Amino acid sequence: MRGFGRFLIATLCGIVLAAGVHIVSILATPYQAENDAFVKVQPTLAADKAQIISAPGGSDTWMPLPDPAVVVAACAFDLSAGPMRVSAPIGPNLLSFSFHKESGGVFFAVTDRAAVRGELEIVAMTARQLDEARAAEDENEPSRDVRIVSPEQQGFVIVRVAAPTASQRPQAEEAAKAVSCTTEQAE
Amino acid sequence: MRSSVSAFKPVPLRSIPTAFLIVYALLLALGLGLGSTYLVLKGDPPFGSLSIGPWKAWPNLGSTSADPYMRAILAQRGDVPLAIGEGLGFTATTDSGGRALDSACTYRVGSVAPTARLWTFSVYDQDGRLLQTELGRSGFTSAELLWDAQDTFTITLSRGLQDGNWLQLPPAGRFSIVLRLYDTPGAAGTGLTESVFPSIERVECGA
C-alpha cells in the first residue's frame, strides 16, 4: 500500500498544482493574447481621428458578433507622451465613449447625454498628470475639462455611434470619423 | 515469517521511483491546469450571468468589476464589450420553452422590450456571423420596427415570407439572437424582469 499511497499523494499534488496553473494562465491571458482588441487597435495609435473598426452593416470586421446598426471606431492611447483629449461633436444619434485598459476591462464610459454645448469631451490622464494639471491650474480660471484617471498608461477608446435606420448609416460613419483623439502637450 | 513477507512483498510497489512520481505530478498539473483554462476560454464566462427567460447577459463584462475569467475570455475572443454606461447585450440561444433555436422553425418574438434609448435585435448564425440571407437583413432596431396601436411589436422569424416585421432565416442550422439595449436608464441590470423582455415563441417546425 505504500506505493499506492505515494501515487495518491503525487496525484493530489498534481491536482493542487493544476489549480495554480489554471489561475496563473487565466490571469496571464489578457497580457499574452496576441489577437485581443488592444493589439488590434494599435494601428490607430498615431492617428488624430478615431478609426472605424466595424462599419455599419457589420461586414468585414474582426469584432465578434458585430451590431449592424452601430458604427464602432477606436483610438489607441499611450499616456506616457501626455494626457489624451477625446472629443466629438454630437449629432442626433446616440454616441458613446468607453475607455478600456490594456489588460482588458472598461474603466470609464460616457454617452452623449453628458455632452456640453454640443460637444462631448473627455481628457484621460494618469494620476500623476492629474496632479500636475491641478498644480498648474489658475485658481481664477478653473479648467472645464472633464478629467478621468486611467489606471494604466496604455489602453484604447471605443466610440460607438448608432444608426437607427439603414439610411442613417453614412451619417453615423461620418460622426464616428469626426471624433478626434489628440495627445495634449505637457504645459 | 511475517517479516519475510513484509520485506518481500512491498518491493515491486515501492519501486516506483520518486523522480517518476514528480514528473507524473507535474505533467498532471500542466495537463489539467491548461486543459481547464482552454475549456473555460472557449465558453461563456462561468460566473456573474443574468438570465431572464431565454435571455442571458453578463452585466459585469463591461464594468471595472469584471472578474479574471471575463477578462481572459474577452481577450481570447478579441471582443470589446458594451460598457455598463453604454448599454447591455442579451443573448438568446433557446426559445422561451428552452428548446434550441433552429432555422427550420418559425418563431414569433414580442411584444415588449425593456426601456432604452435604442435597442437592436440581431440574428447570428452558429459561427457568430450576421445572418446572410437573400434579403440582406439581419436585424431590426427599435426605430425601424413597425409598432402596433398598443405600442407593442411582433418580429417573425421564418424561412417563408411573412407580413409585418419579418426576418428571413437561412435554410438550415442553429442561430442565436442578441438584443442590445443602448443607453438604458439607471444602472443596467436592475429592474429587468421577464415581463419586460420579449418572449420567443416557437410557432411551428418543418415545412
Side-chain angles (χ1 to χ4, degrees), chain A residues 112-169:
Chain A
D112 58 0
R113 282 179 199 270
V116 180
R117 292 192 205 100
E119 191 97 15
L120 182 61
E121 194 169 88
I122 304 287
V123 183
M125 44 178 61
T126 60
R128 190 194 161 129
Q129 284 161 351
L130 179 63
D131 287 345
E132 284 169 1
R134 279 196 185 134
E137 209 164 88
D138 184 349
E139 269 178 38
N140 300 318
E141 216 178 312
S143 162
R144 294 201 179 155
D145 291 345
V146 180
R147 293 160 172 167
I148 57 159
V149 170
S150 167
E152 290 175 16
Q153 290 248 323
Q154 287 186 295
F156 57 97
V157 181
I158 291 289
V159 181
R160 286 187 167 93
V161 186
T165 58
S167 61
Q168 283 170 300
R169 286 175 182 179

Side-chain angles (χ1 to χ4, degrees), chain B residues 9-92:
Chain B
K9 215 186 168 191
V11 167
L13 278 171
R14 282 194 75 175
S15 68
I16 306 173
T18 309
F20 171 79
L21 284 177
I22 290 173
V23 169
Y24 160 75
L26 289 179
L27 285 179
L28 189 71
L30 272 182
L32 280 180
L34 295 180
S36 57
T37 298
Y38 175 77
L39 285 180
V40 165
L41 289 184
K42 277 189 74 113
D44 288 329
F47 307 111
S49 72
L50 170 69
S51 288
I52 301 172
W55 304 100
K56 208 167 187 192
W58 283 265
N60 283 341
L61 214 52
S63 78
T64 44
S65 49
D67 66 39
Y69 283 111
M70 292 177 179
R71 286 179 200 187
I73 288 168
L74 286 177
Q76 173 67 23
R77 288 182 188 164
D79 200 357
V80 184
L82 270 176
I84 202 111
E86 288 182 296
L88 190 56
F90 286 83
T91 308

Side-chain angles (χ1 to χ4, degrees), chain A residues 1-175:
Chain A
M1 283 316 283
R2 282 291 291 276
F4 184 69
R6 275 156 51 98
F7 182 72
L8 208 65
I9 287 169
T11 306
L12 284 176
C13 286
I15 290 171
V16 171
L17 284 174
V21 170
H22 177 76
I23 291 167
V24 169
S25 56
I26 288 286
L27 290 177
T29 303
Y31 297 93
Q32 294 301 313
E34 280 168 8
N35 50 359
D36 66 353
F38 177 75
V39 173
K40 283 174 178 155
V41 301
Q42 281 311 297
T44 68
L45 190 58
D48 279 350
K49 297 277 179 187
Q51 305 292 307
I52 299 219
I53 55 174
S54 173
S59 56
D60 191 30
T61 174
W62 48 262
M63 280 183 73
L65 305 181
D67 188 336
V70 172
V71 191
V72 184
C75 267
F77 62 80
D78 185 351
L79 299 179
S80 57
M84 189 197 53
R85 183 179 293 269
V86 190
S87 120
I90 63 157
N93 290 325
L94 184 135
L95 181 146
S96 66
F97 292 161
S98 57
F99 291 75
H100 301 252
K101 291 182 286 187
E102 177 188 3
S103 58
V106 180
F107 64 89
F108 186 73
V110 65
T111 68
D112 58 0
R113 282 179 199 270
V116 180
R117 292 192 205 100
E119 191 97 15
L120 182 61
E121 194 169 88
I122 304 287
V123 183
M125 44 178 61
T126 60
R128 190 194 161 129
Q129 284 161 351
L130 179 63
D131 287 345
E132 284 169 1
R134 279 196 185 134
E137 209 164 88
D138 184 349
E139 269 178 38
N140 300 318
E141 216 178 312
S143 162
R144 294 201 179 155
D145 291 345
V146 180
R147 293 160 172 167
I148 57 159
V149 170
S150 167
E152 290 175 16
Q153 290 248 323
Q154 287 186 295
F156 57 97
V157 181
I158 291 289
V159 181
R160 286 187 167 93
V161 186
T165 58
S167 61
Q168 283 170 300
R169 286 175 182 179
Q171 196 188 338
E173 208 163 335
E174 286 308 311

Side-chain angles (χ1 to χ4, degrees), chain B residues 155-170:
Chain B
I155 297 172
T156 310
L157 300 162
S158 72
R159 280 157 63 190
L161 181 69
Q162 304 274 334
D163 60 357
N165 301 306
W166 173 57
L167 274 183
Q168 193 182 22
L169 290 176

Side-chain angles (χ1 to χ4, degrees), chain B residues 7 17 66 70 81 99 128 135 153 201:
Chain B
M70 292 177 179
R99 292 161 297 197
L135 290 176
F153 67 91
E201 303 299 339

